[in-house]
Every structure is written in C-alpha cells, then in structure tokens.
Amino acid sequence: MCSGCLETIGRVMCSRKTRSRRLAAAVGALALSLVAAVADARELRICADPNNMPFSNAARQGFENKIAELVGRELGATISYTWWAQRRGFVRNTLKAGLCDLVPGTPTNLEMLRTTAPYYRSSYVFVTRRDAPEIASFNDPRLRDLHIGVQLIGDDGANSPPVQALGSRGIVGHLVGFPVYGDYSAPNPPARIIEAVANGDIDMAVVWGPLAGYFGARQKVPLRITPVAPRIDGPLLPMIYDISMGVRRDDDALRSEVDAALAKHRAEIDAILAAYDVPRLDVAGAAAR
C-alpha cells in the first residue's frame, strides 16, 4: 500500500477518534446536566385529605387540589401529596411530622401554623329546600318547630358553632346530628346532611358554606343556601372564617412564596371557587344562592 494511502488512513482514524472523544465528552456533559436538573427539581409537598370533597380527594378533584396546582406551577414545583384524614391530629401527623410542607384550606391565624393572607371568606349557612320558608337567623322563632340537621365535629361529637348557637337559645329538641367525617369508607361522607334536606328527611341543615354550596348545587331538588346570622354569636362564637394556606411556623420563606402566588393568581382562584359553588362573604353577590 502506498505511503500516501497510509497517511490518509491514519488521518481518518485520528479524526474518528477525535470525534468519538468529543461525542463522549458531550454525552457526559449532558448526563451531568440532567443529573443536576433532577437534583434541583423542586417538590411542593401538600398535606390533604383523600376523601373530603369539595376540598380535596385522592383523584385531585377538589378545589383545594386545583388551587394547590396553581401555586405549584407558579413556584416551578412538582406537586406531591401526603394523604391523611382531616380530623383530630391531622397537622401533628402530617406537617409537624415533616411529611409535607403546605396545608391548604386552614382558618387564617390558626395558632399551630403560620398562615398566608386569606384567599376567601365563607360562613356557616342555612340549607333549606327552595319551596320551604327561608330561614336567615338563629333568632327566627320557627326554628323551634323544625327538624334541623347539624354537623358534629370530631370523633367525640364535639359541638360545632351552630350547635352551640342553637343550644344557647334552647333549640335542642329537634336537632339531628351528622358526623362531619361520616362513613369514611364511602365517597363524600359529608354530603349526607345535604342529601337529607333534599330528600325531606330533615327540614333544614346548618352546614359549613363550601360543603353546602357544592353538594347543594348537585341535588335533584333545588335548595336554598343562606349565610347564617348573626355572623358572630355573642362575643366569642364566630360563624364566618377567613381561609388561608398554612406552613410550619418557622417557614417564613415558603409562606412568602405561597402568599405571592395566591395574590398573583387571584382571578383564577376566584374562578375555581365559583365553579365549586363556594358561598363567599368577601365577593359581592356570591354569598347566597
């Protein structure tokens, strides 16, 4: 073989080795960048109930799921969930245990959390059939003759604020208790009290607004949703609550980020709440349906 041919073959082989080394270096750099990107990927861990519509469920169909997704996108984070039944010990077993970082839908200024600015305000409401007389106040004398469904909070049946308001007026003879948690093995256990009004099993119910608005709008019988009065019964019994998101008390950084996200996406959050028929006292015309 001629020397020129050998030189040509040598140059080709050398060029191929150089290209191979460059390709290997490029692949290595890409791999390192992908590893770094994965390491830097942010996760927003949400504490939520897997069977608590309209607020949240494991299928992520609740309005708190939708709002959390808005926040996650704004923070450039992937959403993950720690699921736990939202009853006594919920915060202790989730957020405080370090399993998650953000609790949607908590009363503003709840002592065990550091909360954001509120993103909606609602109240307890009277729920009646549309063809029944309207009740708008705990002081209405007709309440004494009605079978009234009330929510019992906690495994020990602790009294909700409406139960206390009715009890202070001596309206106790015809109360029908519905546990907030209900049969947790069935879907949407809080809906039973609204279904009882629609079915005529009780004359009316006093229910937390978002729950009443959502399930009330989905009954076959038209229902009336009326915010209770007075809004604060006596000096220490509020019926209205501002609702925020909560983080650990020392997590100022996350609280500030979530606050900014909620403010930036105010219009989208309002649209989500309206789609779920949440009765609101912070938006004109949205309180009664």
Side-chain angles (χ1 to χ4, degrees):
M1 185 177 291
C2 67
S3 61
C5 293
L6 290 172
E7 290 176 3
T8 300
I9 293 171
R11 286 197 298 272
V12 169
M13 293 178 66
C14 182
S15 176
R16 287 177 178 174
K17 290 180 180 179
T18 300
R19 288 199 298 271
S20 295
R21 285 196 296 268
R22 289 174 178 171
L23 179 60
V27 170
L30 177 60
L32 288 174
S33 67
L34 290 174
V35 170
V38 171
D40 291 340
R42 185 171 186 182
E43 181 183 25
L44 183 61
R45 303 182 304 168
I46 308 296
C47 319
D49 191 315
N51 188 21
N52 192 32
M53 286 293 285
F55 309 99
S56 65
N57 69 5
R60 305 189 183 192
Q61 297 170 323
F63 70 78
E64 297 293 2
N65 298 121
K66 306 303 181 185
I67 296 172
E69 289 168 8
L70 277 179
V71 172
R73 286 197 295 271
E74 180 62 28
L75 271 55
T78 300
I79 295 290
S80 67
Y81 280 90
T82 292
W83 300 114
W84 199 280
Q86 196 162 7
R87 55 190 70 185
R88 184 172 296 175
F90 174 77
V91 172
R92 182 181 69 251
N93 289 303
T94 57
L95 188 78
K96 290 193 172 182
L99 301 179
C100 44
D101 307 304
L102 183 67
V103 181
T106 188
T108 303
N109 298 323
L110 187 66
E111 186 175 347
M112 66 181 68
L113 302 173
R114 183 163 179 77
T115 57
T116 65
Y119 51 98
Y120 76 95
R121 174 184 298 162
S122 193
S123 75
Y124 281 95
V125 297
F126 295 117
V127 183
T128 56
R129 292 167 66 105
R130 192 68 63 83
D131 57 5
E134 182 174 6
I135 302 292
S137 171
F138 285 115
N139 295 320
D140 191 318
R142 292 175 294 178
L143 289 175
R144 298 184 181 278
D145 300 319
L146 301 179
H147 288 86
I148 305 170
V150 293
Q151 293 179 290
L152 303 178
I153 299 174
D155 297 329
D156 56 358
N159 287 343
S160 62
V163 174
Q164 296 180 54
L166 292 166
S168 70
R169 292 164 172 79
I171 304 172
V172 295
H174 296 142
L175 298 187
V176 181
F178 290 79
V180 169
Y181 310 121
D183 179 3
Y184 204 71
S185 65
N188 307 324
R192 303 296 89 82
I193 188 171
I194 305 300
E195 293 169 354
V197 177
N199 294 336
D201 298 328
I202 54 178
D203 298 311
M204 64 171 292
V206 194
V207 183
W208 175 233
L211 190 156
Y214 179 78
F215 289 115
R218 286 153 180 82
Q219 301 301 312
K220 295 180 180 179
V221 175
L223 301 181
R224 180 189 296 112
I225 308 295
T226 308
V228 302
R231 294 182 177 181
I232 299 179
D233 194 42
L236 299 174
L237 193 59
M239 300 291 165
I240 58 173
Y241 292 91
D242 288 323
I243 302 300
S244 301
M245 292 192 178
V247 302
R248 280 178 283 275
R249 291 193 61 82
D250 59 354
D251 200 346
D252 289 337
L254 180 58
R255 187 251 191 186
S256 296
E257 287 185 291
V258 175
D259 242 341
L262 293 173
K264 181 176 180 179
H265 294 279
R266 175 78 270 172
E268 293 148 280
I269 292 170
D270 288 344
I272 291 170
L273 294 171
Y276 283 75
D277 297 289
V278 174
R280 297 177 62 181
L281 299 182
D282 56 331
V283 176
R289 299 180 187 281

